[in-house]
Amino acid sequence: MSNAAPRPLDGITVVSFEHAIAAPFCTRQLADMGARVIKVERPGVGDFARNYDERVRGLSSHFVWTNRSKESLTLDLKHPAAQDVLQRLLAQAAVLVQPLAPGAAARHGLSFEALHAAHPRLIVCDISGYGEGGPYQDKKAYDLLIQSESGFVSVTGSPEEPAKAGCSISDIAAGMYAYSGILNALLLRGKTGTGSRIDVSMLESMVEWMGFPMYYAFDGAPPPVRAGAAHATIYPYGPFPVGAGKTIMLGLQNEREWQVFCDKILNRPELADDERFSSNSRRTVNREALRAIIVETFATMSLDEVTDKLEAAQIANASVNDMAGVWAHPQLRARDRWRDIGSATGALPALLPPASNNAFEPRMDAIPDLGQHTDAVLASLGFDADQVSRLHAEGAV
């Protein structure tokens, strides 16, 4: 495989008025696949995710994650001189991504209707918390708030206290639906010759992911219980302590595995037919009694011993890794999944996109400084050196 092999989105230019996570995560996927992503940021301020923290050698962890392989153009959309720059950008763009609040796009002349008249092939992707229309249209929406509104928090955590996900799951969901929606729109444009509008709601993205607990609680039925890291409706499925204070994650999915588990791991084959545990539903109801048996058995064994026995019995299990364990994960290393990318502070490791393709290497370029590409982008739009200087002097860029 050659780095020079064509990528699926080579030649596609994406303009994004992005900040935070959802839109940048979407456009980073597009950049991975070869698209030219021009990230439009406010002069002097930029994407506020640049300043969330300084954990990556002075750079923000969120920003490093979601912004490689992009060009940073600073542009004040409210400045009169910015309109010329914007129109030239849109004339070259295949896709516009805008996580603006509903109504804000229209105020800037960036509604799909206005843009479609001037740029009929342009694909416009709007990302918002609750979508256009409805009583929540103007309600503020952050990742934690959407986790709560979507019901995710209600089924996550311990019986005593709900919990949010440890990553920006609502932003990720919206970003991935925006990404797949843009790919679909590009395919559609190949058939129709015209662009279309994509409307992505963070709430709807998360509610789609809540399908199992929603249907489990269908028609007024009780929802799944909060069960910590255990599964709410399958047992034994979750974390169990072993010797020396370690923990193993265990997962049984069917009755064949349950019988093997009783025989080979617990050394109590009679438990397979115990009325309390003879089906998944019964094991779930009687989970505390079963947990006591499993914990007693595992207490006499080390983590490696339990793992070896489970592997020999072909019972699903996993390590409970912390972040250091993930960085050093032997499977990721064995599959050569890490690459170095450039940044203002030197080379940084980055994970290859999960969906590998044997025909091309994904793009893995540097993380941009604020405004790093402003002059180059303006030159590519036909602005000469004097015009660029004037835009800087006027504060438009």
Side-chain angles (χ1 to χ4, degrees):
M1 188 190 308
S2 168
N3 287 336
R7 300 182 178 100
L9 298 184
D10 286 347
I12 296 293
T13 296
V14 178
V15 174
S16 184
F17 307 134
E18 61 186 34
H19 55 265
I21 302 302
F25 189 62
C26 162
T27 58
R28 200 216 74 193
Q29 320 300 316
L30 298 170
D32 289 345
M33 297 298 105
R36 180 192 186 195
V37 175
I38 300 174
K39 180 184 181 76
V40 180
E41 303 186 71
R42 289 177 294 171
V45 179
D47 180 347
F48 51 75
R50 287 181 178 273
N51 300 308
Y52 277 171
D53 58 58
E54 303 81 31
R55 303 288 294 193
V56 189
R57 299 176 190 160
L59 303 178
S60 162
S61 55
H62 287 79
F63 195 85
V64 167
W65 166 41
T66 58
N67 286 284
R68 66 173 180 246
S69 305
K70 300 178 184 180
E71 300 171 47
S72 173
L73 165 70
T74 53
L75 185 66
D76 181 358
L77 293 177
K78 297 180 180 179
H79 196 288
Q83 288 305 308
D84 186 20
V85 178
L86 181 58
Q87 291 309 313
R88 296 195 202 191
L89 273 175
L90 295 177
Q92 293 189 4
V95 179
L96 172 65
V97 178
Q98 48 184 17
L100 303 175
R107 289 194 297 272
H108 288 289
L110 297 172
S111 68
F112 174 73
E113 291 73 20
L115 292 171
H116 189 64
H119 309 284
R121 288 179 55 81
L122 182 67
I123 293 162
V124 179
C125 180
D126 295 322
I127 304 174
S128 64
Y130 294 98
E132 186 175 5
Y136 281 42
Q137 171 181 291
D138 300 320
K139 191 176 176 70
K140 286 187 178 294
Y142 303 130
D143 178 80
L144 171 61
L145 308 180
I146 298 297
Q147 288 192 39
S148 180
E149 287 281 356
S150 66
F152 179 86
V153 169
S154 76
V155 297
T156 306
S158 67
E160 295 75 28
E161 185 176 10
K164 66 180 286 293
C167 63
S168 306
I169 190 171
S170 301
D171 286 317
I172 294 167
M176 290 308 293
Y177 280 117
Y179 171 52
S180 61
I182 289 168
L183 298 181
N184 288 337
L186 287 167
L187 288 172
L188 182 62
R189 192 181 71 170
K191 296 179 179 180
T192 66
T194 60
S196 54
R197 182 199 178 209
I198 304 157
D199 177 14
V200 178
S201 153
M202 291 172 66
L203 176 65
E204 290 157 19
S205 300
M206 275 302 295
V207 169
E208 166 63 24
W209 285 14
M210 294 299 294
F212 144 63
M214 287 174 63
Y215 281 115
Y216 188 86
F218 184 67
D219 206 16
V225 298
R226 291 194 300 271
H231 198 287
T233 59
I234 304 174
Y235 204 81
Y237 197 124
F240 292 89
V242 299
K246 302 291 185 178
T247 301
I248 193 162
M249 195 67 72
L250 176 65
L252 275 76
Q253 291 272 12
N254 56 57
E255 296 311 303
R256 181 192 60 79
E257 290 180 347
W258 167 241
Q259 292 180 4
V260 172
F261 184 73
C262 292
D263 185 21
K264 303 296 184 184
I265 309 301
L266 300 180
N267 296 318
R268 295 182 61 179
E270 73 280 2
L271 287 177
D273 298 319
D274 189 308
E275 277 297 308
R276 297 172 297 169
F277 312 132
S278 59
S279 70
N280 176 65
S281 297
R282 292 190 176 103
R283 291 192 294 275
T284 299
V285 169
N286 296 293
R287 65 170 63 207
E288 292 305 320
L290 179 52
R291 176 179 174 79
I293 295 170
I294 296 172
V295 169
E296 182 182 9
T297 303
F298 284 2
T300 61
M301 294 186 282
S302 70
L303 177 61
D304 287 344
E305 288 172 331
V306 174
T307 301
D308 289 345
K309 291 191 73 169
L310 291 169
E311 286 294 309
Q314 296 186 316
I315 300 295
N317 65 90
S319 301
V320 183
N321 284 320
D322 59 12
M323 294 302 97
V326 178
W327 277 115
H329 203 292
Q331 181 69 3
L332 297 175
R333 287 185 175 180
R335 282 173 46 80
D336 191 26
R337 300 306 296 174
W338 297 104
R339 296 291 182 272
D340 284 340
I341 58 173
S343 78
T345 58
L348 296 171
L351 186 70
L352 282 165
S356 299
N357 189 303
N358 71 345
F360 67 92
E361 283 276 2
R363 185 178 171 199
M364 301 283 285
D365 292 343
I367 301 155
D369 283 349
L370 177 61
Q372 178 181 343
H373 305 92
T374 297
D375 290 2
V377 170
L378 292 174
S380 74
L381 297 174
F383 291 90
D384 62 30
D386 289 341
Q387 290 172 313
V388 172
S389 296
R390 188 160 55 250
L391 287 168
H392 279 286
E394 294 176 353
V397 299

